[in-house]
Amino acid sequence: MKTVLITGATSGIGLATAQLLAKNNCRLILCGRNTEKLAELQRDLSSKTDVTTLEFDIRDKKAVADKINGLASDFATIDVLINNAGNAHGLDPIQTGDLEDWDAMMDINVKGLLYVSHAVIPQMQERESGHIINIGSTAGKEVYPKGNVYCGSKHAVDAITTGMRLDLNPFKIRVGAVNPGLVHTNFSEVRFKGDSDRADKVYQGFQPLLPQDVADVILFAISRPAHVNIADLTMMCTAQASSTIVNKD
Ligand code: 8X3
């Protein structure tokens, strides 16, 4: 049975992945900011597998290190790290972008991913075993109008994933990315700061990916034999051809 640490586990792709892995022979370390949601998730999934939770703000490098280093011994050996936490803030042209939004995206999507990885990689290196999946985005492959800093943060995830794979190769650590396009989660609601009408419109007139679709791919990646690494996988719904071309009714 693998022990899997998932960041951003209380919603969207992270939540769907936690629910799927709980049924597929994984013990779970679920990380997030919301204590109540984490407790509820732990209650829900504990009948299926061993679950522990870590509450931290991924922007707080000391909290990230302290919580991960303080894991109880039965959860301390992490086989799989799923760097899922991330979001978009705002959809503005670069000339009117909001500095707070830019900070949030760089701090969470890029630096947060680095802080968690920094805490987990040493034990994988020592064991010469481990698997890291970074959740990127089609926005890490292609820049779209007004995507500027969000796309920059996801391009950074793309580059960091490659960098990790190169540097961790001598230690037999698998590193890969799953890069989804439009997924129906609270992603747009966060991006548009709670404007649910605007968020809903993003997913109208076509069938977007569901968080479970991405979770299926993550399960596939982490259940391959030890000699197989899914290095870089981009997935979109059938209606989507690129960041700007979506076949809507
Ligand atoms: C989510 C996909 O196209 O909204 O990362 O940026 S997109």
Side-chain angles (χ1 to χ4, degrees), residues 136-177:
S137 169
T138 46
K141 302 290 183 183
E142 186 189 355
V143 181
Y144 54 83
K146 302 182 189 173
N148 45 63
V149 177
Y150 177 67
C151 295
S153 75
K154 288 298 186 176
H155 274 68
V157 171
D158 189 50
I160 290 165
T161 303
T162 304
M164 285 181 174
R165 189 164 54 249
L166 298 176
D167 294 347
L168 299 176
N169 172 269
F171 309 108
K172 306 181 175 67
I173 299 171
R174 287 188 271 185
V175 181

Side-chain angles (χ1 to χ4, degrees), residues 224-240:
R224 292 311 83 212
H227 69 287
V228 178
N229 181 36
I230 305 295
D232 190 44
L233 190 148
T234 296
M235 60 188 294
M236 293 182 274
C237 66
T238 305
Q240 183 173 14

Side-chain angles (χ1 to χ4, degrees), residues 88 136-140 142 144 147 150-151 154 180-183 187-188 191 202-203 240 242-244:
S137 169
T138 46
E142 186 189 355
Y144 54 83
Y150 177 67
C151 295
K154 288 298 186 176
L182 290 155
V183 187
F187 175 86
S188 291
R191 169 172 256 177
V202 174
Y203 307 108
Q240 183 173 14
S242 75
S243 291
T244 51

Side-chain angles (χ1 to χ4, degrees), residues 35-232:
T35 316
E36 276 168 29
K37 282 189 185 167
L38 284 172
E40 190 183 323
L41 194 53
Q42 182 164 26
R43 269 197 306 278
D44 284 355
L45 300 184
S46 288
S47 59
K48 302 186 181 73
T49 189
D50 296 337
V51 182
T52 192
T53 62
L54 297 180
E55 187 258 313
F56 55 71
D57 183 335
I58 206 164
R59 290 171 287 194
D60 181 344
K61 55 166 102 79
K62 184 171 182 322
V64 168
D66 287 350
K67 293 280 168 100
I68 293 175
N69 292 329
L71 277 164
S73 58
D74 47 338
F75 282 96
T77 302
I78 298 165
D79 300 299
V80 181
L81 164 60
I82 301 176
N83 277 316
N84 163 72
N87 38 42
H89 294 270
L91 184 68
D92 302 299
I94 196 78
Q95 63 274 21
T96 56
D98 182 310
L99 288 180
E100 299 294 323
D101 287 346
W102 294 358
D103 278 345
M105 291 187 278
M106 287 301 177
D107 288 350
I108 297 168
N109 302 359
V110 183
K111 291 163 70 181
L113 177 147
L114 290 171
Y115 297 157
V116 174
S117 303
H118 186 264
V120 174
I121 286 170
Q123 58 158 283
M124 292 183 168
Q125 178 183 358
E126 199 176 310
R127 293 195 309 273
E128 296 207 337
S129 155
H131 195 165
I132 300 172
I133 307 267
N134 294 331
I135 305 304
S137 169
T138 46
K141 302 290 183 183
E142 186 189 355
V143 181
Y144 54 83
K146 302 182 189 173
N148 45 63
V149 177
Y150 177 67
C151 295
S153 75
K154 288 298 186 176
H155 274 68
V157 171
D158 189 50
I160 290 165
T161 303
T162 304
M164 285 181 174
R165 189 164 54 249
L166 298 176
D167 294 347
L168 299 176
N169 172 269
F171 309 108
K172 306 181 175 67
I173 299 171
R174 287 188 271 185
V175 181
V178 175
N179 308 296
L182 290 155
V183 187
H184 199 172
T185 62
N186 66 352
F187 175 86
S188 291
E189 198 156 332
V190 173
R191 169 172 256 177
F192 300 135
K193 305 175 197 309
D195 182 342
S196 44
D197 289 344
R198 192 174 173 199
D200 286 347
K201 286 201 184 80
V202 174
Y203 307 108
Q204 272 165 12
F206 71 108
Q207 172 62 64
L209 291 174
L210 300 174
Q212 296 89 316
D213 298 321
V214 184
D216 284 340
V217 169
I218 294 169
L219 173 61
F220 177 80
I222 69 170
S223 57
R224 292 311 83 212
H227 69 287
V228 178
N229 181 36
I230 305 295
D232 190 44

